[in-house]
Amino acid sequence: MSKKKNNILLITCDELNREVLSIYGNRAISTPNIDAIGNCGTRFDNAYTVSPWCLPARCSILTGLYPHRSGAYSNFRKCALAGTIPNIFTGLHSSDYTVAMFGKCHFAPVPYSQTRPDVTLPYDEFKEYYMSLGIDHLDLEDDKQVSVWFMDDWAKEAEADGTLEAMRRAVWDRSLGKVYPFPGPLHLHPDVWVGDKATEYIKNADPDKPLFAWVSFSGPHYPMDAPEEYIKRVDADRLTPRKHREGELEGTDRIHHKDYYGRGNIDGCSCAPDAACRNYDEAYWKRMRTNYNAVVSLIDDKVGEIVSAAREKYGDDLLIIFTADHGEMLGDHGIWGKHNCAYDEVWRIPMLISFPHGEQAGKVRYDMMNSCDILPTCLEAASAEPIACDGVSVYRETDRKYTFAEGEGFMAVTDGSAKYVHIRKRGKNGNIVENYREFTDLVGDPDEFENRIGHPECQGKLAELRGVLIDHVIDRVLP
C-alpha cells in the first residue's frame, strides 16, 4: 500500500438490513449508488456487527474494541465512551487529518426518561462531548427520535422552519406504528439533511489537507418516515417475503417469545396491539417494509451525491467504506427491531469497500470481518500509527474463525456454521428478569427457526462455542 495519506469517507446507516440493498439481492428497489461502492470495490459477504444496539456498535467502530473492553456496552446505562480511549478521530488527528462528522453519533446513552411529548430539550452538552472525542466539524442529527426529543443541529433548523412540531406529534403518536410519510419539506428530512451537509462540506474542504468524513445516516432506523415521492418508487409486489414459521416462538425458552406473544422488550412491541408483535396484520407489515425500502432508496440518492463530490475532489486517492451499525428484523420471525437479536437480519451487516486507486476492484470476499476492523483499516489507509484494538485491517484477508456480539446482559458467538446466544439480565431489584440460552445450527437450519440447544448431535459444537465465548471475556472478568 502507498504511504500516501488517502482521504477517507466512512458512510454508515443505522439499523440497515443488508438484504434491502440490491447488491445483496433486493428487487423491490434499486440502490445503484450504494451498489457501485461494492461493484467498483469489494463486497464482503461475511461482515458482522459486534452489537445489536446502537451505542456499543458505534463505539466499536470508533475504537476498534469489543464493548466489554471499551466499557461502552449499553444504550441505557451510564457508559459513555471515555475520552481517554484512543479512537479513530484521535488516531487520524495525529496524522494531520481534518475530522468531520455528519448525522448520528450516539457515543453516550440518551436520557430517554427525560423526554417529553410537548417540548424539545437542550442538547448542547452532548454535542460538546462528541466534539471532545476529536471531531473538528460536526453537523449533529443524533437519531430521528432523539432529534425530536433533544435540540440538536437538525432540530434547530426544523424548529426555525416550523417542521419540528409536526415531527414531534408523529414521533409520539403510537397509533402510527412508527410508520408514516415525512411531515415536512424534503430538504428537512433527516437523511436528506445529513447527506446535503456532508456533500456541501466535502465540496468546500481544503484539498491540500487529508480528510476523514464520517457520514452517519440515522435512517432507515425507525420511524420509517420516507417522503411520499420515495414510497412510490418501491415495487411492493417484489418485497422479499417475510421469513416466519408458525409456532416457532411458542416455547418460553425462546428469547423472543414475549416479543411475539406480548410484553416483550424488542422495539416493535411498543406500538403493537397488546404489545405483541404477532398482532400486526399483513397490511401493517407491507406498509412498514415498503416505507423502510423507500427510506433506503432516499439514502441511496444521497450516497450518490456524497461519493460524486468526494470523487470530484479527491479522485482515486480515496477510501470509501459503506456499512451499518447493525441490522433490523423487518418482520422476519414475526418481530421488528433489534433488541436481544442474534439473527442474521441484525448480526450480519452490509460491508462495501472501495479501496484507493482501484485496489481489490470487483472482488467478493468471504473471510469473516466485523465492526472492529474499520478503525485499523482506516489507519492503514492514512499511513497512521496503529492503535491497539480487537480489529484487523481488511487490506488483507482475515483469518478470523469466530466473531462475537455483546451488549447489556447479552453475549453471542458464531463461526458461521452455528451460533450460541447467552442472555442473563437483572431488574432494578437485582432479580433475574431474562435468562435464555439458544443454539442455532446454521447448516441444518439456515433460516434459524429452531433452538437446538438440547439436541444430542449439537452438543460438541455447543461446547466449542461456549468455550470460545468464555475465552473471549475471561481476561476482562478475571485479569
Side-chain angles (χ1 to χ4, degrees), residues 180-470:
Y180 48 80
F182 180 64
L186 182 62
H187 74 277
L188 275 178
H189 185 279
D191 297 319
V192 173
W193 186 90
V194 167
D196 289 348
K197 292 291 185 183
T199 300
E200 179 184 10
Y201 185 90
I202 291 168
K203 286 180 176 179
N204 294 307
D206 182 352
D208 297 322
K209 188 169 184 179
L211 174 68
F212 172 78
W214 184 347
V215 185
S216 179
F217 292 102
S218 63
H221 187 294
Y222 62 90
M224 294 79 166
D225 62 345
E228 287 283 5
E229 55 262 51
Y230 281 91
I231 295 174
K232 294 174 183 177
R233 286 190 184 185
V234 182
D235 185 346
D237 293 333
R238 302 189 75 181
L239 289 169
T240 305
R242 288 195 303 122
K243 189 190 304 178
H244 179 52
R245 177 190 286 176
E246 189 65 34
E248 64 175 291
L249 298 176
E250 278 185 355
T252 56
D253 65 318
R254 300 307 308 271
I255 293 169
H256 297 287
H257 172 81
K258 289 183 179 179
D259 298 328
Y260 187 70
Y261 290 98
R263 306 302 165 188
N265 293 314
I266 204 167
D267 317 54
C269 288
S270 64
C271 296
D274 297 324
C277 286
R278 71 169 177 170
N279 291 330
Y280 289 125
D281 59 22
E282 283 304 323
Y284 173 82
W285 288 122
K286 186 172 185 179
R287 181 164 57 91
M288 185 264 275
R289 288 153 64 86
T290 297
N291 201 311
Y292 183 96
N293 274 256
V295 174
V296 175
S297 182
L298 181 157
I299 291 172
D300 183 75
D301 279 356
K302 294 291 117 181
V303 169
E305 294 170 9
I306 294 163
V307 171
S308 178
R311 290 285 189 207
E312 184 175 346
K313 190 85 170 187
Y314 304 114
D316 290 333
D317 195 15
L318 182 66
L319 172 73
I320 305 174
I321 300 176
F322 177 90
T323 189
D325 56 355
H326 53 73
E328 154 66 53
M329 290 306 297
L330 210 59
D332 284 348
H333 303 282
I335 55 180
W336 69 258
K338 75 280 185 183
H339 184 88
N340 277 353
C341 284
Y343 289 113
D344 271 3
E345 287 83 353
V346 170
W347 200 351
R348 292 179 71 185
I349 52 176
M351 186 67 71
L352 309 171
I353 301 181
S354 175
F355 292 93
H357 310 293
E359 298 175 44
Q360 303 191 43
K363 289 187 68 175
V364 178
R365 281 176 46 180
Y366 300 97
D367 50 319
M368 183 180 284
M369 68 170 298
N370 68 37
S371 314
C372 294
D373 298 335
I374 292 173
L375 176 141
T377 301
C378 290
L379 294 182
E380 181 165 351
S383 299
E385 287 295 318
I387 292 174
C389 68
D390 296 318
V392 295
S393 169
V394 298
Y395 268 87
R396 293 155 298 282
E397 289 205 359
T398 68
D399 59 0
R400 184 179 281 117
K401 293 178 63 177
Y402 307 95
T403 191
F404 306 88
E406 304 175 4
E408 184 178 341
F410 171 99
M411 294 201 72
V413 58
T414 185
D415 65 354
S417 71
K419 294 177 182 176
Y420 172 61
V421 190
H422 187 124
I423 295 174
R424 184 178 174 87
K425 297 186 181 183
R426 294 185 181 274
K428 293 181 180 179
N429 298 323
N431 55 313
I432 301 297
V433 294
E434 292 183 71
N435 194 15
Y436 298 102
R437 314 285 187 276
E438 285 192 4
F439 175 87
T440 305
D441 172 10
L442 297 174
V443 177
D445 178 26
D447 289 330
E448 304 185 70
F449 289 131
E450 298 180 24
N451 178 15
R452 298 189 176 184
I453 199 161
H455 289 212
E457 68 275 14
C458 297
Q459 297 310 300
K461 176 59 75 170
L462 173 60
E464 173 192 335
L465 294 183
R466 278 176 165 163
V468 168
L469 193 61
I470 292 169

Side-chain angles (χ1 to χ4, degrees), residues 83-126:
T84 55
I85 297 176
N87 64 56
I88 201 168
F89 303 144
T90 58
L92 292 171
H93 259 302
S94 67
S95 283
D96 199 34
Y97 273 70
T98 297
V99 172
M101 188 158 186
F102 311 89
K104 181 169 180 174
C105 291
H106 202 175
F107 305 132
V110 175
Y112 299 108
S113 62
Q114 297 178 18
T115 60
R116 292 169 46 185
D118 61 332
V119 67
T120 299
L121 300 168
Y123 208 57
D124 290 344
E125 65 181 275
F126 274 78

Side-chain angles (χ1 to χ4, degrees), residues 56-191:
R58 290 168 177 277
C59 289
S60 290
I61 292 173
L62 186 58
T63 64
L65 297 172
Y66 276 105
H68 80 275
R69 294 194 60 214
S70 72
Y73 67 95
S74 173
N75 274 12
F76 313 106
R77 294 183 181 269
K78 291 184 178 180
C79 59
L81 185 67
T84 55
I85 297 176
N87 64 56
I88 201 168
F89 303 144
T90 58
L92 292 171
H93 259 302
S94 67
S95 283
D96 199 34
Y97 273 70
T98 297
V99 172
M101 188 158 186
F102 311 89
K104 181 169 180 174
C105 291
H106 202 175
F107 305 132
V110 175
Y112 299 108
S113 62
Q114 297 178 18
T115 60
R116 292 169 46 185
D118 61 332
V119 67
T120 299
L121 300 168
Y123 208 57
D124 290 344
E125 65 181 275
F126 274 78
K127 184 169 183 178
E128 291 171 6
Y129 160 72
Y130 295 147
M131 296 286 288
S132 76
L133 295 174
I135 302 173
D136 297 308
H137 176 91
L138 173 60
D139 289 310
L140 182 61
E141 190 277 303
D142 213 18
D143 177 272
K144 295 174 187 178
Q145 295 184 130
V146 173
S147 295
V148 166
W149 296 329
F150 297 97
M151 194 67 71
D152 60 17
D153 295 330
W154 174 88
K156 292 173 183 177
E157 291 192 23
E159 184 179 50
D161 182 83
T163 298
L164 185 59
E165 176 57 31
M167 276 288 285
R168 199 156 46 218
R169 288 196 302 269
V171 162
W172 284 96
D173 187 347
R174 291 192 175 188
S175 70
L176 298 176
K178 301 296 182 184
V179 183
Y180 48 80
F182 180 64
L186 182 62
H187 74 277
L188 275 178
H189 185 279
D191 297 319

